[in-house]
Amino acid sequence: MERKEEEEEIICLNESFFINDNYQLTEFTFGSQVIQLFCLHSASTDFDLTGQLVWPGAMLLNEYLSKNTEMLRGCSVIELGSGVGITGILCSRFCQNVVLTDHNDEVIKILKKNIELHVSPENPNSCAGLGAEKLEWGNSDQINQIIQEYPGGFDLVLGADI
Ligand SMILES: C[S@@+](CC[C@H](N)C(=O)[O-])C[C@H]1O[C@@H](n2cnc3c(N)ncnc32)[C@H](O)[C@@H]1O
């Protein structure tokens, strides 16, 4: 009887217990470009959830890109370690095609939600060619799948804070 009570005390916590998905719609400005997206304002390195927030590297890269938009015009871009997608989403306003990638399934969920926010017909900055793919760096199966989907390849490979 005592043993049974002890067993009932055991609580199993899986990964989802530690995941914060209380995202906040947050506005970022880069030159004339205003981007609203869902992100956290702090994140955990457990389960590599670093992609749930916007990193200083992305702020710097986006500042640079917003001042040099001619380098993006008409390009096809793939972004590595996109996190919540702030760099790829900015690029999508100038590029022909942008593929945002990440390896973390939890991060890909919020990345896709942010893409939906930006490809909605109500969004005046909406861009047709904005997609998300799972990509773990060096995973040749995933790389081959992306190459098959985008046989034209990419003009630019971008990554912030990766
Ligand atoms: C520091 S965060 C940067 C996120 C975003 N680029 C930014 O600057 O705000 C690093 C990102 O890289 C992703 N990442 C880390 N290791 C990776 C790997 N081996 N393959 C693919 N993505 C990875 C993480 O999931 C995370 O989204």
Side-chain angles (χ1 to χ4, degrees):
M1 184 60 191
E2 208 175 278
R3 175 90 184 122
K4 188 160 189 302
E5 274 169 12
E6 261 176 35
E7 278 171 12
E8 280 169 3
E9 288 288 307
I10 296 170
I11 300 169
C12 293
L13 300 176
N14 67 13
E15 177 181 322
S16 66
F17 180 82
F18 301 95
I19 293 176
N20 177 5
D21 60 0
N22 187 19
Y23 296 105
Q24 288 150 50
L25 189 62
T26 309
E27 187 170 289
F28 298 87
T29 303
F30 307 100
S32 62
Q33 299 299 313
V34 178
I35 297 179
Q36 278 196 337
L37 46 68
F38 290 101
C39 61
L40 294 185
H41 293 178
S42 65
S44 167
T45 49
D46 293 343
F47 313 111
D48 189 13
L49 291 166
T50 56
Q52 291 182 306
L53 55 85
V54 172
W55 285 74
M59 298 297 289
L60 286 172
L61 181 58
N62 281 25
E63 279 298 333
Y64 175 81
L65 292 172
S66 71
K67 288 181 185 142
N68 296 278
T69 55
E70 71 288 349
M71 71 185 289
L72 298 173
R73 291 214 189 265
C75 284
S76 185
V77 168
I78 186 166
E79 185 187 4
L80 308 181
S82 296
V84 291
I86 196 158
T87 297
I89 288 168
L90 175 71
C91 291
S92 74
R93 296 185 176 173
F94 306 97
C95 296
Q96 191 184 24
N97 198 40
V98 182
V99 182
L100 295 89
T101 71
D102 210 281
H103 72 148
N104 184 294
D105 290 327
E106 197 57 36
V107 171
I108 290 174
K109 273 193 224 162
I110 189 63
L111 177 59
K112 286 187 171 166
K113 190 169 171 185
N114 281 331
I115 288 175
E116 273 170 31
L117 197 66
H118 286 267
V119 295
S120 75
E122 297 94 61
N123 190 330
N125 295 308
S126 184
C127 158
L130 186 57
E133 300 285 342
K134 180 161 179 157
L135 176 57
E136 171 90 36
W137 308 326
N139 181 318
S140 41
D141 290 342
Q142 291 170 352
I143 292 170
N144 286 336
Q145 193 176 326
I146 292 173
I147 290 171
Q148 274 178 17
E149 275 180 60
Y150 301 90
F154 301 98
D155 304 303
L156 281 175
V157 180
L158 293 179
D161 230 321
I162 56 169

